Amino acid sequence: MSHNVSFFATCLADTVFPDIGIQSVRLLEQLGCTVSFNPKQTCCGQPLANSGFHKKARATMKNLTTALLEDNSKYVVAPSGSCVLQVKEYPKFFKGDPVWKKKAEELAAKIWEITDFIVTVLGVTDVGARLPGKAVYHPSCHLSRLLGIKEQPLALLGNIKDLELVPIKGQDKCCGFGGAFAVKLGPLSGAMVIEKVDNIKAAGVDYLIGADGGCLMNMKGRIDKEKLNIKVLHVVEALMAGKEEGTK
Amino acid sequence: MSIKTSDLSLNDRLKKELADTTMRKAIANGQDALNTKRNAAFAELGNYEEWRENAAAVRHHVLENLDFYLNQFAENASANGAHVIFTRTDKEATDAALEIVKAKGVKKAVKSKSMVTEEVGLNEALEEAGIEVIETDLGEYILQTDDNDKPSHIVVPALHRDREYIREVFARKKGYTGDSVPENITRFVRGLIRKEFLEADVGITGCNFAVADTGTVTLVTNEGNGRFVTTAPKTQIVFMGMERIVPSFTELDMIFSMLVRSAVGGKLTSYLSFITGPRGEEDRDGPEDLYIIIVDNGRSKVLESGFREVLRCIRCGTCMLECPAYRHISGHGYGTLYPGPLGLALVPVLGGYENYSDVTKICSLCSACNDVCPVKIPLYELIYEHRRIIAEDEELVHAPEPFVMGAYGKVIASSGIYDFGSNMARFAKFLPKVGPLKEWTRERDLPEITGKRFRHWFKDHKKKGGKS
Ligand code: SF4
């Protein structure tokens, strides 16, 4: 059965980490989905909303809602727990506006985080990937705590051939990203990411895998600064590993 | 003291605390040890979520009927022989205490640990009136000896200090000559404080919970100092935040189970004191006079605000122990008496946005606190709401933030400008590292932006029939 999926790339994957978007699309297509991408989409508005600027955020929320509903697909899928959480919260931002509230509810009801979509909707946990080495998985806060998506990414990663997942100290602790928090309180956010990377380092791994571009950018920033030999991968990149021949 | 504990700006506070590596190690060790104990205590109890639901429901019920329970408590406590005094402000609360101690000719007061007395600035008021005040909780005693250092945690006030530091403080200030083994330091302090208990004319305590239907005041302590403070001096003054109340012993039992497990990871503390009125004819100890000062000091305002849920707080300190930001800056980084997620949710309403809007920034919105608060206060949501209120009030946000956010909002709301802007992003690496870029790059590298865009790839991908 083919599923029509409207893909929400997220602004970070669109501009900074295009491979997250590319591998997401390839993965969904391999799993039999028909993927569309509406180029009117931009950002979910989270940096504004989390800083309290709800009024200023509403324009971009409307823009994204229009873009993602326009495709008329049964599902909207995005490779970020944090952005999916934000979209799921949209109805709260349009409390006094029945027209937009309705649209926001429609979108909130059909948006899925990609690992949740693959496991829950497609019913797949083994995508046939192979990635030899040891990895730490970072369960991003919004994904795991606020959306409650804990098992899905682990189920998928657990089936990657030759990949060993290693636990670390303080595994479920925030990496210090927090969007605008990372630049508003840079030194504090920096202290948090330093501790996180220290714990990852201590595990002696080849990869750091996560499901949220923002957190990954934060930890990668530190890993690069320390010139560590740890490759940072989004979970979709890990799930496409070892089967890319001929698709480049 | 008041809610405010520092005159430094937010950035200066953070800088100062982040540079204190000894403190950071002490806090991290404290967090890890107490969190492990707490998890074990709740695992043993079982049905964690159900307990939290029930505790939240009890606290919620009390807040919905606070006037009733306060009245009931006051009537019963008075019938037991206590003097109950309602106070609206910090000044009224300290004035009430001053009136009592002056009438009694008090020269020396012993105190057990109480956050609300710190909130209203009781020690300063008493000292100004020439009364010697001695903190008898070990943690508070350490801070008092260390030139009135401020508590860094609401349950474990000296969490930011390690044993070596504490040994040094007592060596310098009190002539301690022993080693840094906690038991030895404690024995030394015990010797010093015992004499104070016997000499003091008044004992001052907080109140963990008041029991409405019996008029009882309760104290949860571990060191026995609370028991001493409430039995040796002739007069006892209890300070009680007006929301710290439960209907009866049935609810108290459950709330204690949550409080003690959350705060220290134990089933029970060493001492639970129940004080129902002053010493009776047949009692062998206890105060002759018992005063209960009930403190509002902004709580009515919180009750009427959209932040009422934060008054459910049972002051267990767990949210601080779980907070990844608190971990690196301790309570001192907040500059407020109530730090951590609780502080972020409570202080802006209790003390006013005009003084405390900055503190709401100290949060990455990770929501770890929400999952552990024993009375299920939606701390994440309350902090989020504070930020909205602050951002939408022009008096409270400082340039250039609204301008930057406004410009950013315009860019992302239109795919055309966004497209242009993000195509330009590849030149970010050539920008001077100032402002946000500087903040980011001090501890991190910037991601390399190659200019390759997902949307361009996708167009091409579709053109090639999905074969790219
Ligand atoms: S807010 Fe919750 S976790 Fe924090 S101190 Fe209060 S009761 Fe404890």
Side-chain angles (χ1 to χ4, degrees), chain A residues 14 29 35 39 41-42 184 189 218 221 225, chain B residues 387 401 412 441 443-445 453 455 461-462:
Chain A
D14 183 21
E29 287 178 345
V35 183
Q41 63 180 271
T42 57
K184 278 192 193 169
S189 162
N218 183 41
K225 185 131 201 156
Chain B
R387 288 187 178 179
E401 200 187 350
I412 57 176
T441 50
E443 273 97 14
R444 287 161 283 228
D445 280 356
R453 296 277 306 273
R455 58 179 65 217
H461 175 72
K462 281 282 152 174

mmCIF file with all atom_site columns, all heavy atoms in Angstrom, chain A residues 14 29 35 39 41-42 184 189 218 221 225, chain B residues 387 401 412 441 443-445 453 455 461-462:
data_model
loop_
_atom_site.group_PDB
_atom_site.id
_atom_site.type_symbol
_atom_site.label_atom_id
_atom_site.label_alt_id
_atom_site.label_comp_id
_atom_site.label_asym_id
_atom_site.label_entity_id
_atom_site.label_seq_id
_atom_site.pdbx_PDB_ins_code
_atom_site.Cartn_x
_atom_site.Cartn_y
_atom_site.Cartn_z
_atom_site.occupancy
_atom_site.B_iso_or_equiv
_atom_site.pdbx_formal_charge
_atom_site.auth_seq_id
_atom_site.auth_comp_id
_atom_site.auth_asym_id
_atom_site.auth_atom_id
_atom_site.pdbx_PDB_model_num
ATOM 1   N N   . ASP A 1 14  ? 16.488 21.890 5.630   1.00 0.00 ? 14  ASP A N   1
ATOM 2   C CA  . ASP A 1 14  ? 16.438 22.497 4.298   1.00 0.00 ? 14  ASP A CA  1
ATOM 3   C C   . ASP A 1 14  ? 17.722 23.260 3.995   1.00 0.00 ? 14  ASP A C   1
ATOM 4   O O   . ASP A 1 14  ? 18.261 23.194 2.890   1.00 0.00 ? 14  ASP A O   1
ATOM 5   C CB  . ASP A 1 14  ? 15.220 23.439 4.228   1.00 0.00 ? 14  ASP A CB  1
ATOM 6   C CG  . ASP A 1 14  ? 15.058 24.064 2.848   1.00 0.00 ? 14  ASP A CG  1
ATOM 7   O OD1 . ASP A 1 14  ? 15.594 23.493 1.875   1.00 0.00 ? 14  ASP A OD1 1
ATOM 8   O OD2 . ASP A 1 14  ? 14.400 25.116 2.745   1.00 0.00 ? 14  ASP A OD2 1
ATOM 9   N N   . GLU A 1 29  ? 10.563 6.768  0.545   1.00 0.00 ? 29  GLU A N   1
ATOM 10  C CA  . GLU A 1 29  ? 10.267 6.194  -0.779  1.00 0.00 ? 29  GLU A CA  1
ATOM 11  C C   . GLU A 1 29  ? 10.609 4.705  -0.818  1.00 0.00 ? 29  GLU A C   1
ATOM 12  O O   . GLU A 1 29  ? 9.858  3.899  -1.365  1.00 0.00 ? 29  GLU A O   1
ATOM 13  C CB  . GLU A 1 29  ? 11.006 6.975  -1.871  1.00 0.00 ? 29  GLU A CB  1
ATOM 14  C CG  . GLU A 1 29  ? 10.350 8.346  -2.095  1.00 0.00 ? 29  GLU A CG  1
ATOM 15  C CD  . GLU A 1 29  ? 11.054 9.219  -3.144  1.00 0.00 ? 29  GLU A CD  1
ATOM 16  O OE1 . GLU A 1 29  ? 12.206 8.902  -3.511  1.00 0.00 ? 29  GLU A OE1 1
ATOM 17  O OE2 . GLU A 1 29  ? 10.455 10.222 -3.566  1.00 0.00 ? 29  GLU A OE2 1
ATOM 18  N N   . VAL A 1 35  ? 6.165  10.731 -1.843  1.00 0.00 ? 35  VAL A N   1
ATOM 19  C CA  . VAL A 1 35  ? 6.497  11.907 -1.045  1.00 0.00 ? 35  VAL A CA  1
ATOM 20  C C   . VAL A 1 35  ? 6.355  13.194 -1.856  1.00 0.00 ? 35  VAL A C   1
ATOM 21  O O   . VAL A 1 35  ? 6.826  13.276 -2.990  1.00 0.00 ? 35  VAL A O   1
ATOM 22  C CB  . VAL A 1 35  ? 7.942  11.809 -0.506  1.00 0.00 ? 35  VAL A CB  1
ATOM 23  C CG1 . VAL A 1 35  ? 8.270  13.007 0.379   1.00 0.00 ? 35  VAL A CG1 1
ATOM 24  C CG2 . VAL A 1 35  ? 8.132  10.513 0.259   1.00 0.00 ? 35  VAL A CG2 1
ATOM 25  N N   . PRO A 1 39  ? 7.144  23.714 -1.592  1.00 0.00 ? 39  PRO A N   1
ATOM 26  C CA  . PRO A 1 39  ? 8.232  24.687 -1.410  1.00 0.00 ? 39  PRO A CA  1
ATOM 27  C C   . PRO A 1 39  ? 7.821  25.974 -0.693  1.00 0.00 ? 39  PRO A C   1
ATOM 28  O O   . PRO A 1 39  ? 8.683  26.786 -0.371  1.00 0.00 ? 39  PRO A O   1
ATOM 29  C CB  . PRO A 1 39  ? 8.689  24.986 -2.843  1.00 0.00 ? 39  PRO A CB  1
ATOM 30  C CG  . PRO A 1 39  ? 7.559  24.587 -3.717  1.00 0.00 ? 39  PRO A CG  1
ATOM 31  C CD  . PRO A 1 39  ? 6.790  23.521 -3.011  1.00 0.00 ? 39  PRO A CD  1
ATOM 32  N N   . GLN A 1 41  ? 6.834  26.046 2.250   1.00 0.00 ? 41  GLN A N   1
ATOM 33  C CA  . GLN A 1 41  ? 7.118  25.863 3.672   1.00 0.00 ? 41  GLN A CA  1
ATOM 34  C C   . GLN A 1 41  ? 8.441  26.526 4.081   1.00 0.00 ? 41  GLN A C   1
ATOM 35  O O   . GLN A 1 41  ? 9.374  26.622 3.295   1.00 0.00 ? 41  GLN A O   1
ATOM 36  C CB  . GLN A 1 41  ? 7.180  24.380 4.021   1.00 0.00 ? 41  GLN A CB  1
ATOM 37  C CG  . GLN A 1 41  ? 8.297  23.617 3.329   1.00 0.00 ? 41  GLN A CG  1
ATOM 38  C CD  . GLN A 1 41  ? 8.275  22.147 3.747   1.00 0.00 ? 41  GLN A CD  1
ATOM 39  O OE1 . GLN A 1 41  ? 8.895  21.773 4.725   1.00 0.00 ? 41  GLN A OE1 1
ATOM 40  N NE2 . GLN A 1 41  ? 7.551  21.329 3.006   1.00 0.00 ? 41  GLN A NE2 1
ATOM 41  N N   . THR A 1 42  ? 8.457  27.002 5.324   1.00 0.00 ? 42  THR A N   1
ATOM 42  C CA  . THR A 1 42  ? 9.708  27.565 5.857   1.00 0.00 ? 42  THR A CA  1
ATOM 43  C C   . THR A 1 42  ? 10.006 26.930 7.209   1.00 0.00 ? 42  THR A C   1
ATOM 44  O O   . THR A 1 42  ? 10.489 25.808 7.259   1.00 0.00 ? 42  THR A O   1
ATOM 45  C CB  . THR A 1 42  ? 9.627  29.104 5.982   1.00 0.00 ? 42  THR A CB  1
ATOM 46  O OG1 . THR A 1 42  ? 8.520  29.438 6.817   1.00 0.00 ? 42  THR A OG1 1
ATOM 47  C CG2 . THR A 1 42  ? 9.446  29.766 4.636   1.00 0.00 ? 42  THR A CG2 1
ATOM 48  N N   . LYS A 1 184 ? 21.225 32.852 23.602  1.00 0.00 ? 184 LYS A N   1
ATOM 49  C CA  . LYS A 1 184 ? 20.891 33.846 24.631  1.00 0.00 ? 184 LYS A CA  1
ATOM 50  C C   . LYS A 1 184 ? 21.752 33.634 25.865  1.00 0.00 ? 184 LYS A C   1
ATOM 51  O O   . LYS A 1 184 ? 22.243 34.574 26.457  1.00 0.00 ? 184 LYS A O   1
ATOM 52  C CB  . LYS A 1 184 ? 19.426 33.719 25.031  1.00 0.00 ? 184 LYS A CB  1
ATOM 53  C CG  . LYS A 1 184 ? 18.492 34.419 24.080  1.00 0.00 ? 184 LYS A CG  1
ATOM 54  C CD  . LYS A 1 184 ? 17.127 34.468 24.739  1.00 0.00 ? 184 LYS A CD  1
ATOM 55  C CE  . LYS A 1 184 ? 16.071 34.866 23.750  1.00 0.00 ? 184 LYS A CE  1
ATOM 56  N NZ  . LYS A 1 184 ? 14.746 34.662 24.299  1.00 0.00 ? 184 LYS A NZ  1
ATOM 57  N N   . SER A 1 189 ? 24.632 27.248 28.118  1.00 0.00 ? 189 SER A N   1
ATOM 58  C CA  . SER A 1 189 ? 24.375 26.212 27.122  1.00 0.00 ? 189 SER A CA  1
ATOM 59  C C   . SER A 1 189 ? 25.679 25.487 26.775  1.00 0.00 ? 189 SER A C   1
ATOM 60  O O   . SER A 1 189 ? 25.714 24.267 26.623  1.00 0.00 ? 189 SER A O   1
ATOM 61  C CB  . SER A 1 189 ? 23.765 26.872 25.880  1.00 0.00 ? 189 SER A CB  1
ATOM 62  O OG  . SER A 1 189 ? 23.883 26.033 24.773  1.00 0.00 ? 189 SER A OG  1
ATOM 63  N N   . ASN A 1 218 ? 24.169 21.189 17.776  1.00 0.00 ? 218 ASN A N   1
ATOM 64  C CA  . ASN A 1 218 ? 24.791 21.638 19.019  1.00 0.00 ? 218 ASN A CA  1
ATOM 65  C C   . ASN A 1 218 ? 25.934 20.707 19.425  1.00 0.00 ? 218 ASN A C   1
ATOM 66  O O   . ASN A 1 218 ? 27.063 21.132 19.641  1.00 0.00 ? 218 ASN A O   1
ATOM 67  C CB  . ASN A 1 218 ? 23.711 21.674 20.107  1.00 0.00 ? 218 ASN A CB  1
ATOM 68  C CG  . ASN A 1 218 ? 24.224 22.189 21.434  1.00 0.00 ? 218 ASN A CG  1
ATOM 69  O OD1 . ASN A 1 218 ? 24.985 23.146 21.475  1.00 0.00 ? 218 ASN A OD1 1
ATOM 70  N ND2 . ASN A 1 218 ? 23.811 21.546 22.510  1.00 0.00 ? 218 ASN A ND2 1
ATOM 71  N N   . GLY A 1 221 ? 28.779 20.700 16.988  1.00 0.00 ? 221 GLY A N   1
ATOM 72  C CA  . GLY A 1 221 ? 29.581 21.910 17.151  1.00 0.00 ? 221 GLY A CA  1
ATOM 73  C C   . GLY A 1 221 ? 30.678 21.709 18.183  1.00 0.00 ? 221 GLY A C   1
ATOM 74  O O   . GLY A 1 221 ? 31.810 22.144 18.016  1.00 0.00 ? 221 GLY A O   1
ATOM 75  N N   . LYS A 1 225 ? 34.694 21.152 17.564  1.00 0.00 ? 225 LYS A N   1
ATOM 76  C CA  . LYS A 1 225 ? 35.600 22.067 18.266  1.00 0.00 ? 225 LYS A CA  1
ATOM 77  C C   . LYS A 1 225 ? 36.705 21.281 18.972  1.00 0.00 ? 225 LYS A C   1
ATOM 78  O O   . LYS A 1 225 ? 37.849 21.699 19.002  1.00 0.00 ? 225 LYS A O   1
ATOM 79  C CB  . LYS A 1 225 ? 34.820 22.894 19.278  1.00 0.00 ? 225 LYS A CB  1
ATOM 80  C CG  . LYS A 1 225 ? 35.668 23.942 19.961  1.00 0.00 ? 225 LYS A CG  1
ATOM 81  C CD  . LYS A 1 225 ? 34.998 25.291 19.927  1.00 0.00 ? 225 LYS A CD  1
ATOM 82  C CE  . LYS A 1 225 ? 35.993 26.404 20.132  1.00 0.00 ? 225 LYS A CE  1
ATOM 83  N NZ  . LYS A 1 225 ? 35.550 27.667 19.582  1.00 0.00 ? 225 LYS A NZ  1
ATOM 84  N N   . ARG B 2 387 ? 7.209  33.510 29.609  1.00 0.00 ? 387 ARG B N   1
ATOM 85  C CA  . ARG B 2 387 ? 7.964  34.092 28.489  1.00 0.00 ? 387 ARG B CA  1
ATOM 86  C C   . ARG B 2 387 ? 7.045  34.827 27.531  1.00 0.00 ? 387 ARG B C   1
ATOM 87  O O   . ARG B 2 387 ? 7.398  35.859 26.985  1.00 0.00 ? 387 ARG B O   1
ATOM 88  C CB  . ARG B 2 387 ? 8.736  33.002 27.754  1.00 0.00 ? 387 ARG B CB  1
ATOM 89  C CG  . ARG B 2 387 ? 9.903  32.480 28.550  1.00 0.00 ? 387 ARG B CG  1
ATOM 90  C CD  . ARG B 2 387 ? 10.724 31.535 27.710  1.00 0.00 ? 387 ARG B CD  1
ATOM 91  N NE  . ARG B 2 387 ? 11.886 31.043 28.439  1.00 0.00 ? 387 ARG B NE  1
ATOM 92  C CZ  . ARG B 2 387 ? 12.750 30.183 27.940  1.00 0.00 ? 387 ARG B CZ  1
ATOM 93  N NH1 . ARG B 2 387 ? 12.591 29.712 26.716  1.00 0.00 ? 387 ARG B NH1 1
ATOM 94  N NH2 . ARG B 2 387 ? 13.783 29.786 28.652  1.00 0.00 ? 387 ARG B NH2 1
ATOM 95  N N   . GLU B 2 401 ? 16.084 42.443 21.309  1.00 0.00 ? 401 GLU B N   1
ATOM 96  C CA  . GLU B 2 401 ? 15.426 41.159 21.096  1.00 0.00 ? 401 GLU B CA  1
ATOM 97  C C   . GLU B 2 401 ? 14.126 41.248 20.290  1.00 0.00 ? 401 GLU B C   1
ATOM 98  O O   . GLU B 2 401 ? 13.966 40.509 19.320  1.00 0.00 ? 401 GLU B O   1
ATOM 99  C CB  . GLU B 2 401 ? 15.193 40.448 22.422  1.00 0.00 ? 401 GLU B CB  1
ATOM 100 C CG  . GLU B 2 401 ? 14.989 38.967 22.191  1.00 0.00 ? 401 GLU B CG  1
ATOM 101 C CD  . GLU B 2 401 ? 14.596 38.220 23.445  1.00 0.00 ? 401 GLU B CD  1
ATOM 102 O OE1 . GLU B 2 401 ? 14.650 38.799 24.538  1.00 0.00 ? 401 GLU B OE1 1
ATOM 103 O OE2 . GLU B 2 401 ? 14.218 37.050 23.302  1.00 0.00 ? 401 GLU B OE2 1
ATOM 104 N N   . ILE B 2 412 ? 10.873 34.191 8.077   1.00 0.00 ? 412 ILE B N   1
ATOM 105 C CA  . ILE B 2 412 ? 10.383 32.821 7.990   1.00 0.00 ? 412 ILE B CA  1
ATOM 106 C C   . ILE B 2 412 ? 8.906  32.744 7.615   1.00 0.00 ? 412 ILE B C   1
ATOM 107 O O   . ILE B 2 412 ? 8.415  31.694 7.239   1.00 0.00 ? 412 ILE B O   1
ATOM 108 C CB  . ILE B 2 412 ? 10.648 32.024 9.292   1.00 0.00 ? 412 ILE B CB  1
ATOM 109 C CG1 . ILE B 2 412 ? 10.020 32.712 10.491  1.00 0.00 ? 412 ILE B CG1 1
ATOM 110 C CG2 . ILE B 2 412 ? 12.131 31.798 9.481   1.00 0.00 ? 412 ILE B CG2 1
ATOM 111 C CD1 . ILE B 2 412 ? 10.167 31.937 11.776  1.00 0.00 ? 412 ILE B CD1 1
ATOM 112 N N   . THR B 2 441 ? 29.922 30.281 19.186  1.00 0.00 ? 441 THR B N   1
ATOM 113 C CA  . THR B 2 441 ? 31.225 29.741 18.793  1.00 0.00 ? 441 THR B CA  1
ATOM 114 C C   . THR B 2 441 ? 32.244 29.690 19.925  1.00 0.00 ? 441 THR B C   1
ATOM 115 O O   . THR B 2 441 ? 33.311 29.145 19.745  1.00 0.00 ? 441 THR B O   1
ATOM 116 C CB  . THR B 2 441 ? 31.829 30.563 17.634  1.00 0.00 ? 441 THR B CB  1
ATOM 117 O OG1 . THR B 2 441 ? 31.776 31.942 17.985  1.00 0.00 ? 441 THR B OG1 1
ATOM 118 C CG2 . THR B 2 441 ? 31.053 30.323 16.356  1.00 0.00 ? 441 THR B CG2 1
ATOM 119 N N   . GLU B 2 443 ? 32.102 27.923 22.631  1.00 0.00 ? 443 GLU B N   1
ATOM 120 C CA  . GLU B 2 443 ? 32.298 26.517 23.004  1.00 0.00 ? 443 GLU B CA  1
ATOM 121 C C   . GLU B 2 443 ? 32.034 25.533 21.869  1.00 0.00 ? 443 GLU B C   1
ATOM 122 O O   . GLU B 2 443 ? 32.170 24.344 22.032  1.00 0.00 ? 443 GLU B O   1
ATOM 123 C CB  . GLU B 2 443 ? 31.375 26.155 24.188  1.00 0.00 ? 443 GLU B CB  1
ATOM 124 C CG  . GLU B 2 443 ? 31.964 26.445 25.542  1.00 0.00 ? 443 GLU B CG  1
ATOM 125 C CD  . GLU B 2 443 ? 31.490 27.787 26.075  1.00 0.00 ? 443 GLU B CD  1
ATOM 126 O OE1 . GLU B 2 443 ? 30.516 28.318 25.510  1.00 0.00 ? 443 GLU B OE1 1
ATOM 127 O OE2 . GLU B 2 443 ? 32.102 28.301 27.027  1.00 0.00 ? 443 GLU B OE2 1
ATOM 128 N N   . ARG B 2 444 ? 31.593 26.061 20.717  1.00 0.00 ? 444 ARG B N   1
ATOM 129 C CA  . ARG B 2 444 ? 31.185 25.170 19.632  1.00 0.00 ? 444 ARG B CA  1
ATOM 130 C C   . ARG B 2 444 ? 31.649 25.710 18.297  1.00 0.00 ? 444 ARG B C   1
ATOM 131 O O   . ARG B 2 444 ? 31.752 26.926 18.125  1.00 0.00 ? 444 ARG B O   1
ATOM 132 C CB  . ARG B 2 444 ? 29.649 25.089 19.553  1.00 0.00 ? 444 ARG B CB  1
ATOM 133 C CG  . ARG B 2 444 ? 28.999 24.316 20.634  1.00 0.00 ? 444 ARG B CG  1
ATOM 134 C CD  . ARG B 2 444 ? 27.536 24.688 20.724  1.00 0.00 ? 444 ARG B CD  1
ATOM 135 N NE  . ARG B 2 444 ? 27.393 25.966 21.384  1.00 0.00 ? 444 ARG B NE  1
ATOM 136 C CZ  . ARG B 2 444 ? 26.522 26.222 22.380  1.00 0.00 ? 444 ARG B CZ  1
ATOM 137 N NH1 . ARG B 2 444 ? 25.712 25.298 22.776  1.00 0.00 ? 444 ARG B NH1 1
ATOM 138 N NH2 . ARG B 2 444 ? 26.473 27.401 22.942  1.00 0.00 ? 444 ARG B NH2 1
ATOM 139 N N   . ASP B 2 445 ? 31.837 24.810 17.322  1.00 0.00 ? 445 ASP B N   1
ATOM 140 C CA  . ASP B 2 445 ? 32.069 25.259 15.950  1.00 0.00 ? 445 ASP B CA  1
ATOM 141 C C   . ASP B 2 445 ? 30.721 25.505 15.292  1.00 0.00 ? 445 ASP B C   1
ATOM 142 O O   . ASP B 2 445 ? 29.714 24.910 15.675  1.00 0.00 ? 445 ASP B O   1
ATOM 143 C CB  . ASP B 2 445 ? 32.821 24.191 15.152  1.00 0.00 ? 445 ASP B CB  1
ATOM 144 C CG  . ASP B 2 445 ? 34.316 24.246 15.463  1.00 0.00 ? 445 ASP B CG  1
ATOM 145 O OD1 . ASP B 2 445 ? 34.723 25.147 16.218  1.00 0.00 ? 445 ASP B OD1 1
ATOM 146 O OD2 . ASP B 2 445 ? 35.048 23.379 14.960  1.00 0.00 ? 445 ASP B OD2 1
ATOM 147 N N   . ARG B 2 453 ? 21.024 22.914 -0.934  1.00 0.00 ? 453 ARG B N   1
ATOM 148 C CA  . ARG B 2 453 ? 19.740 23.037 -0.267  1.00 0.00 ? 453 ARG B CA  1
ATOM 149 C C   . ARG B 2 453 ? 18.906 21.801 -0.502  1.00 0.00 ? 453 ARG B C   1
ATOM 150 O O   . ARG B 2 453 ? 18.865 21.259 -1.608  1.00 0.00 ? 453 ARG B O   1
ATOM 151 C CB  . ARG B 2 453 ? 18.965 24.247 -0.804  1.00 0.00 ? 453 ARG B CB  1
ATOM 152 C CG  . ARG B 2 453 ? 19.601 25.589 -0.547  1.00 0.00 ? 453 ARG B CG  1
ATOM 153 C CD  . ARG B 2 453 ? 19.257 26.086 0.844   1.00 0.00 ? 453 ARG B CD  1
ATOM 154 N NE  . ARG B 2 453 ? 17.820 26.124 1.110   1.00 0.00 ? 453 ARG B NE  1
ATOM 155 C CZ  . ARG B 2 453 ? 17.034 27.148 0.815   1.00 0.00 ? 453 ARG B CZ  1
ATOM 156 N NH1 . ARG B 2 453 ? 17.526 28.227 0.252   1.00 0.00 ? 453 ARG B NH1 1
ATOM 157 N NH2 . ARG B 2 453 ? 15.750 27.099 1.094   1.00 0.00 ? 453 ARG B NH2 1
ATOM 158 N N   . ARG B 2 455 ? 15.711 21.688 -0.786  1.00 0.00 ? 455 ARG B N   1
ATOM 159 C CA  . ARG B 2 455 ? 14.622 21.948 -1.741  1.00 0.00 ? 455 ARG B CA  1
ATOM 160 C C   . ARG B 2 455 ? 15.102 21.875 -3.187  1.00 0.00 ? 455 ARG B C   1
ATOM 161 O O   . ARG B 2 455 ? 14.353 21.470 -4.069  1.00 0.00 ? 455 ARG B O   1
ATOM 162 C CB  . ARG B 2 455 ? 13.910 23.251 -1.429  1.00 0.00 ? 455 ARG B CB  1
ATOM 163 C CG  . ARG B 2 455 ? 14.768 24.498 -1.412  1.00 0.00 ? 455 ARG B CG  1
ATOM 164 C CD  . ARG B 2 455 ? 13.904 25.709 -1.110  1.00 0.00 ? 455 ARG B CD  1
ATOM 165 N NE  . ARG B 2 455 ? 13.342 25.632 0.245   1.00 0.00 ? 455 ARG B NE  1
ATOM 166 C CZ  . ARG B 2 455 ? 12.125 26.043 0.575   1.00 0.00 ? 455 ARG B CZ  1
ATOM 167 N NH1 . ARG B 2 455 ? 11.340 26.578 -0.325  1.00 0.00 ? 455 ARG B NH1 1
ATOM 168 N NH2 . ARG B 2 455 ? 11.692 25.945 1.811   1.00 0.00 ? 455 ARG B NH2 1
ATOM 169 N N   . HIS B 2 461 ? 15.304 15.716 -7.885  1.00 0.00 ? 461 HIS B N   1
ATOM 170 C CA  . HIS B 2 461 ? 14.956 14.330 -7.578  1.00 0.00 ? 461 HIS B CA  1
ATOM 171 C C   . HIS B 2 461 ? 13.641 13.955 -8.279  1.00 0.00 ? 461 HIS B C   1
ATOM 172 O O   . HIS B 2 461 ? 13.514 12.894 -8.899  1.00 0.00 ? 461 HIS B O   1
ATOM 173 C CB  . HIS B 2 461 ? 14.812 14.228 -6.057  1.00 0.00 ? 461 HIS B CB  1
ATOM 174 C CG  . HIS B 2 461 ? 14.344 12.901 -5.541  1.00 0.00 ? 461 HIS B CG  1
ATOM 175 N ND1 . HIS B 2 461 ? 15.139 11.787 -5.539  1.00 0.00 ? 461 HIS B ND1 1
ATOM 176 C CD2 . HIS B 2 461 ? 13.158 12.524 -4.972  1.00 0.00 ? 461 HIS B CD2 1
ATOM 177 C CE1 . HIS B 2 461 ? 14.462 10.776 -5.000  1.00 0.00 ? 461 HIS B CE1 1
ATOM 178 N NE2 . HIS B 2 461 ? 13.260 11.189 -4.648  1.00 0.00 ? 461 HIS B NE2 1
ATOM 179 N N   . LYS B 2 462 ? 12.682 14.856 -8.199  1.00 0.00 ? 462 LYS B N   1
ATOM 180 C CA  . LYS B 2 462 ? 11.381 14.585 -8.823  1.00 0.00 ? 462 LYS B CA  1
ATOM 181 C C   . LYS B 2 462 ? 11.516 14.575 -10.344 1.00 0.00 ? 462 LYS B C   1
ATOM 182 O O   . LYS B 2 462 ? 10.898 13.768 -11.037 1.00 0.00 ? 462 LYS B O   1
ATOM 183 C CB  . LYS B 2 462 ? 10.353 15.640 -8.390  1.00 0.00 ? 462 LYS B CB  1
ATOM 184 C CG  . LYS B 2 462 ? 9.801  15.379 -7.009  1.00 0.00 ? 462 LYS B CG  1
ATOM 185 C CD  . LYS B 2 462 ? 8.741  14.268 -7.020  1.00 0.00 ? 462 LYS B CD  1
ATOM 186 C CE  . LYS B 2 462 ? 8.729  13.581 -5.666  1.00 0.00 ? 462 LYS B CE  1
ATOM 187 N NZ  . LYS B 2 462 ? 7.704  12.609 -5.438  1.00 0.00 ? 462 LYS B NZ  1
#
